[in-house]
């Protein structure tokens, strides 16, 4: 399974042209999600599989043949994924509202196509909960994620944490004095993704979570 993020003209036929080009490269498209639209352009995520004898760069070559189309990112993506990820998270949080922030932290990697997530106490920098691959243990280094009180995206340099390379992050505050931080090696988080994270963080924080 691969995640392919593509920028394309926001006009009729563009998405179909990209899908046809990927099909010609022997890609099997499992799902498509519109990440962002604006100023006559759209950013779409394709989840797809390719045969073992097809290289991922063939996807980039195929898209490059479509006028005004740019591949922003292509990467291996081993998790199952669906277009209704946000609704699934909301349903899970509604069933266990007292654990909503923890559930969101655990679900964030699949929901936002990212590598890891942290639930952080803003006042003390304490990590209250972390996803399986999160790089930080119990304490966030001061200032490493910027202002935890404000929803924002940022790019972290290669030396931001021992043994970790460059990372794109998104931060969203909850109502409880906590914040959700999600990260991945790329691509950068878009405004639409940040808005989704902020909405889910606010929905999750009506009850104090049970930290683990």
């Amino acid at each position: 399974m691969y995640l392919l993020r593509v920028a394309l003209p926001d006009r009729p036929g563009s998405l179909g042209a990209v899908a046809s080009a990927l099909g010609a490269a022997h890609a099997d498209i499992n799902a498509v999600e519109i990440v962002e639209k604006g100023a006559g352009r759209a950013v779409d995520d394709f989840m797809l599989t390719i045969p073992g004898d097809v290289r991922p760069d063939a996807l980039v070559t195929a898209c490059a043949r479509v006028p005004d189309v740019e591949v922003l990112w292509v990467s291996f993506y081993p998790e199952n994924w669906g277009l209704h990820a946000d609704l699934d998270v909301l349903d899970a949080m509604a069933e266990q509202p007292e654990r909503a922030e923890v559930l969101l932290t655990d679900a964030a990697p699949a929901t936002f196509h990212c590598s890891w997530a942290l639930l952080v106490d803003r006042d003390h920098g304490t990590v209250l909960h972390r996803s399986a691959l999160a790089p930080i243990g119990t304490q966030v280094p001061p200032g490493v994620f910027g202002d935890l009180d404000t929803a924002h995206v940022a790019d972290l340099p290669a030396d931001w944490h021992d043994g970790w390379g460059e990372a794109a992050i998104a931060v969203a505050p909850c109502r409880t004095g906590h914040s959700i931080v999600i990260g991945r090696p790329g691509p950068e988080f878009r405004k639409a993704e940040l808005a989704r994270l902020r909405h889910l963080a606010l929905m999750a924080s009506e009850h104090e979570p049970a930290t683990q």
Side-chain angles (χ1 to χ4, degrees), residues 8-207:
L8 65 161
D10 185 14
R11 60 174 180 253
S14 292
L15 180 59
V18 173
S20 296
L22 291 172
H26 307 290
D28 183 12
I29 299 173
N30 291 268
V32 182
E33 182 178 67
I34 298 172
V35 178
E36 190 173 77
K37 282 189 174 187
R41 300 283 288 176
V43 176
D44 292 350
D45 278 353
F46 291 81
M47 295 301 298
L48 45 82
T49 54
I50 54 177
D53 59 348
V54 175
R55 294 176 55 86
D57 56 9
L59 305 174
V60 179
T61 301
C63 292
R65 297 193 180 104
V66 184
D68 301 321
V69 169
E70 178 187 4
V71 174
L72 302 178
W73 185 262
V74 60
S75 63
F76 179 67
Y77 190 75
E79 300 292 335
N80 294 324
W81 174 73
L83 292 176
H84 303 292
D86 289 15
L87 293 177
D88 290 341
V89 174
L90 287 170
D91 286 344
M93 293 191 303
E95 291 177 1
Q96 300 184 67
E98 74 285 353
R99 299 188 68 248
E101 291 181 1
V102 169
L103 293 173
L104 176 57
T105 305
D106 287 335
T111 304
F112 292 95
H113 312 162
C114 63
S115 303
W116 51 267
L118 296 169
L119 177 64
V120 180
D121 181 290
R122 292 198 293 269
D123 290 336
H124 304 98
T126 306
V127 175
L128 304 173
H129 192 72
R130 60 198 299 275
S131 65
L133 300 179
I136 292 177
T138 59
Q139 195 72 26
V140 175
V144 68
F145 295 140
D147 184 5
L148 292 175
D149 291 300
T150 305
H152 66 276
V153 299
D155 293 321
L156 304 183
D159 59 352
W160 76 275
H161 192 63
D162 291 344
W164 286 76
E166 296 177 357
I169 64 164
V171 178
C174 305
R175 294 189 179 97
T176 54
H178 307 156
S179 290
I180 299 284
V181 182
I182 61 176
R184 62 190 178 201
E188 65 182 13
F189 289 97
R190 313 291 292 196
K191 291 180 180 178
E193 293 176 292
L194 179 62
R196 288 172 52 214
L197 178 64
R198 182 175 181 275
H199 173 71
L200 289 174
L202 291 175
M203 294 293 291
S205 53
E206 295 183 359
H207 297 268

